[in-house]
Amino acid sequence: MPPSQGHSARVRAEIFQHAARLFRLRGYAGTSIDDIMLAAGLTRGAFYAHFKSKDDLFAEVVGTGHGLPVRMRAGDGKVRDVLDGYLAKEGFTATLRDCTLASLVGDVARASLPAQLAYANVLYGLIGEMAGGRGRRLDADATAAAILAVGGLSLAQASGDRRLSDWLLRCARRAVRALLAPKEPVRPRASPKRKRSRSRRKAVAARRPRRAARSRGGRA
């Protein structure tokens, strides 16, 4: 009896979850199909009933945008608070392993085009979430904040010096808060009054007595 559609979907989801966890933990090259299927408790042959290849699975995992984008959507618009937690030095290794954007950036750079386009799509969405109501999807401040958050976490993980890692996270957090601070409305500057030139003032002053004389003559 062939497996039901619901059962097949559950198996696929389980394979996907284990693959996503292993990719974030070990990277693309460090994770094999056998590793994924062993974690799922299934045989290698079952893999191809749900996915065409490891590359296709990797691109799909990248496209989910697990980690920071999920936190941002659940943050009720509190972008700076979300990024404060994301860049906190306490448990930052666990944060990195939970975030597709930060943990897989190097792997995606060497991956196939579908994975790179999936990464770009997630990044577009993240910048839009961070920009909030600023109108433009690729807001410059939100883009810089995304670079600092994802890059800061990646650099902190790559550094074997704990003091340097803490410093990188602290600096990234401080810069992000400054970038995303509420902007004061720009008041329109009053246009400066035109100053009359000295020669023009003299000419006006010289005309006044003649006008006064003509008006007196007219009254006479």
Side-chain angles (χ1 to χ4, degrees):
M1 183 175 178
S4 67
Q5 192 172 3
H7 174 75
S8 180
R10 286 193 297 272
V11 171
R12 189 184 194 282
E14 188 173 356
I15 295 171
F16 182 87
Q17 289 170 4
H18 285 291
R21 178 179 59 81
L22 290 173
F23 281 140
R24 291 194 301 268
L25 180 63
R26 302 178 183 176
Y28 177 85
T31 303
S32 67
I33 292 176
D34 289 332
D35 293 333
I36 295 167
M37 299 310 286
L38 180 63
L42 299 167
T43 62
R44 181 186 177 95
F47 177 88
Y48 296 100
H50 302 280
F51 301 96
K52 291 181 181 179
S53 66
K54 179 182 166 184
D55 281 354
D56 286 344
L57 174 56
F58 183 69
E60 191 172 331
V61 167
V62 170
T64 60
H66 196 268
L68 181 55
V70 175
R71 290 188 182 202
M72 200 61 63
R73 287 192 291 272
D76 296 326
K78 298 176 181 177
V79 178
R80 293 202 298 167
D81 292 344
V82 171
L83 291 176
D84 266 354
Y86 181 77
L87 290 168
K89 66 179 182 179
E90 296 81 9
F92 81 91
T93 300
T95 301
L96 181 88
R97 289 175 179 172
D98 186 54
C99 183
T100 303
L101 284 173
S103 62
L104 294 177
V105 61
D107 294 88
V108 172
R110 295 183 292 271
S112 61
L113 183 60
Q116 293 176 352
L117 292 177
Y119 190 95
N121 191 50
V122 172
L123 199 52
Y124 268 113
L126 174 65
I127 293 169
E129 290 279 348
M130 291 169 69
R134 300 191 191 190
R136 297 190 304 270
R137 192 180 186 191
L138 282 180
D139 178 84
D141 288 343
T143 302
I147 294 169
L148 284 165
V150 175
L153 195 67
S154 300
L155 289 173
Q157 173 66 10
S159 171
D161 185 326
R162 188 53 188 261
R163 286 185 62 189
L164 178 59
S165 296
D166 291 349
W167 175 246
L168 290 169
L169 292 170
R170 193 181 313 137
C171 289
R173 195 164 58 247
R174 186 187 307 163
V176 163
R177 289 192 68 83
L179 276 169
L180 299 179
K183 303 290 190 298
E184 293 185 4
V186 179
R187 296 178 180 178
R189 295 177 60 184
S191 56
K193 294 182 178 180
R194 281 187 173 182
K195 292 185 178 180
R196 293 181 175 179
S197 65
R198 185 175 297 177
S199 58
R200 188 176 179 185
R201 288 201 301 270
K202 285 182 178 180
V204 171
R207 284 198 297 270
R208 283 174 186 162
R210 291 199 293 272
R211 289 175 183 169
R214 282 198 299 270
S215 63
R216 285 196 298 272
R219 285 198 300 271

